[in-house]
Structure formats: structure tokens, C-alpha cells
Amino acid sequence: MRITDNVIAIFDQMLRPAGRPWYGLELAKATHIGSATIYAVLTRMERADLVNASWESHDPSDLGRPQRRLYTLTPTGIQVGTEAVANYRPRILVRSAGTPAALPGLRPSRGSV
Amino acid sequence: MIDWLRDIGVSLAAAEIWGSLPLISRAVIWLQTLCLPGERRETRRKEWNAELHEEYKDRRIAGLIWTLSLIRICAWEGATTPIGLRFARAKVIVRGTLQSSDAFDELTWQQLVVAALVGFGVVNIENFMPRLALIGDNLVTLYAGASCLALSSVVEARRRRPRWSFLTLVGATLSWCGAGSIVISLGLLGVTSGIQVVDVVKLLFLPVLGTGLIAAFTTPNRFRNWLGSTPRTLARYLARGVQAFALFCVGVWFCALLSTSGFHLG
């Protein structure tokens, strides 16, 4: 699977902490990735066995809302994600030689790492 | 009657459209996911409906825009998801398209179809059943109104409890029919005693609302919910019922326009 900037941003968010489950729109808000794009990226990561998707276990009547679909990193995802985030060098920083910025809010140009 | 319906329809049309935006968003999701293969379609519908409910509950336009933006994901996922041999069979495709575990949407469509058909029938009844026109006008109008109220209450209750058992659905259906029977009986009394339909509607508003609410609570679970309902929940049921009835009025008004323009069944 190609590790794009969007995948890196998702890895970075889901590794803090690694075991925490996220739902799609929550991840989209945290990473500033488009809410529609996030599902395509998560689907690719799921197919590559980097994340695991499961339904909320609580009863919807207790929650007062429908069950969410939650995404968690698999052991492979944690390993790949940790390496990918550590080796991440966004292109925009190379071009502008600016100060380092946090990953999620940066939204650098698209491309492979 | 048409003037009365037109006035109500026009005054509530804007509120109805606004109130229906979440339903439209869900319908958009339902339509978009038709291009996905079987299990994937159910997963996406369930996931996106949950997030629509959670994130855009009070942001109707933003929710609609969000659901429209999902179409490219559906197209991409539909194109890249491998389809098993079982899902490629025509019978499975048709069945998967027509059936869904998310029956809320199906009930919504039924509600719309019933409102449209009955509205069309009310306006055109005098063309093919002249002798029944007077009684038919009143009865069909009232029954449709009661049906809208009862069914919308059921829909609202089901949205709060996504998993309904078969017995619950049977109970809700019987209650729906029961509500219609009660209204027809009372409406018949009103017609035979010479009371105008507006008066009958006013007279029946509370009983109809009551039967609609009872239809939503026909099992022990419903009854438990009924006991635990907050005024806000009850107000939501009422609002949904009024919206459904307004939709029906708008449908009748639209059909009346068609009729006066020379478009008749008979």
C-alpha cells in the first residue's frame, strides 16, 4: 500500500494513544482531512490490514444513537505507522525551508514518502 | 376543502422541507450506496447514518452537503471492491437493492408514497366515484392524516431503537390499522351528522395524535420507553407527526393544482 500524506496524518493521530478506537468523522476533524476522503483512506488501510474496523458493542437504545463503526490500529499498523511517522519529511517544509509544524494541521502536498 | 388544505400546505411547506432535510440526507446515503456490493452497502449505510446522526444532528444543510460529498467514495469503493460470484447474480442484486437492514428508509419511502397516492386519490375521487365523493373526501383525508401521524410516530420511535423485532413490527402495523379504523369511525359520525371536515379534523386531532403515539409503543419495550419519555421526546413525536400531515396536505394541494389544470384520472 502506498503511504501517502493522508495515511501519515491518520497514523500520527491514531498512535496517540495507539489502542484508542476512532470513528470516521472524528478522525477527519482531528487530521483536517476531508470528511469524504477519510473513508477511502481508511478502507485502503483496512484492506492492507493496518487498521481494524468493528462496530460499537453498546446497545443503541442505551447509547441513544446508532452504533458507530470504530477503527483501531492493528499490531502491523502500529509498527508501520510508527516508522512512517518517524521518517516523515513533508515536501512543503523542504520547499519553503520554514519551521517545523505539527503533522495533523499541516496538510502538506500529496505524494509518497 | 382544497382551499383549506392549500392554506395549511403553503404555510407549513417551508417548515416541512426544513424538517425533512435529515430524511433527505438519509435518502441520499441510501441511494448512493446502491452501487456498492451487498455487505459493503449495509456497512456503509449503517456507518454513515450513525455519523450523520451524531455529527450533523442539528446541522441539516451541512449534513446534506456532507452526504452529497460521499458519492465519490461510493463510486471509488464500488469500482474497487471485488464482487463475489454470489453477489453478481441478478437475483441477489435485485434483492439487495430492494431490501435493507436499515428499514427506516423503507418506512420513509412508504410514508411518502402513501401520502402522494392518497392525496392524488382524494382529489380525483369525484371523477371515478361521484356518489362517494362527499364521504370519500372526508374519510380518505382523515384516514390518510391518521396514517401519516401513526406511521411517522413509528418511524420516529424506530430511529431511536434501530433493531425492531418481527413482533414489534406486527404490533406497530396493527396499531396503524387500528388508528385508521378509529378515525374512519369517528369521521363517519362527523359526516353523517353534517359536521364539516375542518371541524372533524379539529375534533379528532388529539385522538389521532394519541393513537399515533400508541402505535409507537406497542410492545413492552415501547411501553418502557413511553414511561421514560421526556417532554422533549414527546414534542419530537408531535413535530414529526405534524410534519408528515403537512406533507400530506402539500401533496393534496399539488394534486389539486394538477386537477384544476385539467389533469384527471377518469
Side-chain angles (χ1 to χ4, degrees):
Chain A
M1 178 190 157
R2 204 161 62 97
I3 306 294
T4 62
D5 293 337
N6 284 337
V7 175
I8 297 278
I10 291 174
F11 271 139
D12 184 59
Q13 198 62 45
M14 293 183 79
L15 283 168
R16 300 182 288 181
R20 193 202 144 175
W22 295 75
Y23 63 93
L25 272 181
E26 185 185 24
L27 261 179
K29 283 181 181 174
T31 57
H32 301 282
I33 297 173
S35 59
T37 307
I38 197 91
Y39 298 105
V41 180
L42 286 171
T43 301
R44 287 198 298 124
M45 293 174 74
E46 191 181 351
R47 288 176 185 171
D49 198 29
L50 298 177
V51 298
N52 181 36
S54 59
W55 293 105
E56 236 173 355
S57 55
H58 300 289
D59 188 355
S61 58
D62 295 333
L63 294 170
R65 56 172 172 75
Q67 289 171 303
R68 290 179 188 144
R69 196 157 188 249
L70 300 174
Y71 298 89
T72 47
L73 284 176
T74 62
T76 309
I78 294 174
Q79 183 185 348
V80 173
T82 306
E83 291 175 11
V85 171
N87 297 327
Y88 181 64
R89 295 287 182 275
R91 291 177 182 181
I92 194 169
L93 291 186
V94 176
R95 278 206 303 268
S96 63
T99 54
L103 274 176
L106 186 57
R107 299 290 295 115
S109 60
R110 294 174 182 276
S112 302
V113 174
Chain B
M1 184 187 76
I2 297 305
D3 288 341
W4 168 71
L5 289 176
R6 183 189 58 199
D7 292 343
I8 292 181
V10 171
S11 62
L12 294 178
E16 171 57 30
I17 293 169
W18 179 253
S20 298
L21 278 179
L23 293 181
I24 295 172
S25 298
R26 293 171 70 87
V28 168
I29 290 176
W30 189 84
L31 287 172
Q32 285 178 158
T33 48
L34 285 178
C35 67
L36 299 178
E39 293 174 3
R40 202 73 199 160
R41 178 170 54 229
E42 296 301 321
T43 301
R44 283 307 192 197
R45 279 180 188 168
K46 194 175 170 188
E47 177 179 21
W48 289 340
N49 281 331
E51 301 200 346
L52 179 71
H53 176 86
E54 181 67 13
E55 298 289 334
Y56 294 107
K57 190 160 53 177
D58 299 320
R59 300 167 59 205
R60 295 161 191 253
I61 295 176
L64 183 59
I65 293 172
W66 175 71
T67 52
L68 289 171
S69 73
L70 296 173
I71 191 167
R72 57 198 175 100
I73 304 303
C74 291
W76 172 81
E77 201 167 355
T80 57
T81 302
I83 302 174
L85 191 60
R86 190 170 69 87
F87 290 112
R89 291 166 54 196
K91 184 180 174 184
V92 177
I93 291 173
V94 171
R95 194 172 57 195
T97 302
L98 296 178
Q99 294 179 348
S100 169
S101 63
D102 193 0
F104 171 82
D105 297 313
E106 293 167 10
L107 283 172
T108 305
W109 291 120
Q110 287 171 12
Q111 186 181 11
L112 294 175
V113 168
V114 166
L117 288 179
V118 173
F120 194 80
V122 165
V123 174
N124 285 281
I125 194 168
E126 62 185 5
N127 294 322
F128 50 88
M129 285 192 292
R131 292 182 181 177
L132 294 177
L134 176 63
I135 298 176
D137 261 7
N138 291 276
L139 296 192
V140 176
T141 303
L142 294 174
Y143 182 69
S147 299
C148 287
L149 284 169
L151 188 56
S152 62
S153 298
V154 171
V155 168
E156 186 67 29
R158 195 198 171 283
R159 190 170 67 176
R160 294 173 58 77
R161 289 183 68 86
R163 296 285 175 195
W164 270 30
S165 69
F166 175 73
L167 284 177
T168 309
L169 287 172
V170 169
T173 305
L174 289 176
S175 299
W176 179 29
C177 298
S181 304
I182 292 171
V183 170
I184 280 186
S185 304
L186 293 176
L188 195 58
L189 282 176
V191 170
T192 52
S193 61
I195 303 173
Q196 295 298 312
V197 67
V198 178
D199 298 325
V200 176
V201 168
K202 284 179 183 174
L203 186 70
L204 294 181
F205 182 73
L206 285 179
V208 168
L209 177 64
T211 50
L213 288 173
I214 290 170
F217 301 105
T218 49
T219 66
N221 280 341
R222 299 279 87 69
F223 187 65
R224 191 184 62 189
N225 274 3
W226 167 260
L227 292 178
S229 293
T230 62
R232 188 177 174 185
T233 306
L234 294 176
R236 194 181 298 132
Y237 288 143
L238 174 62
R240 175 58 58 196
V242 171
Q243 283 176 3
F245 191 66
L247 178 68
F248 164 74
C249 293
V250 172
V252 171
W253 175 54
F254 181 71
C255 292
L257 286 181
L258 287 180
S259 294
T260 52
S261 66
F263 184 77
H264 293 290
L265 267 182

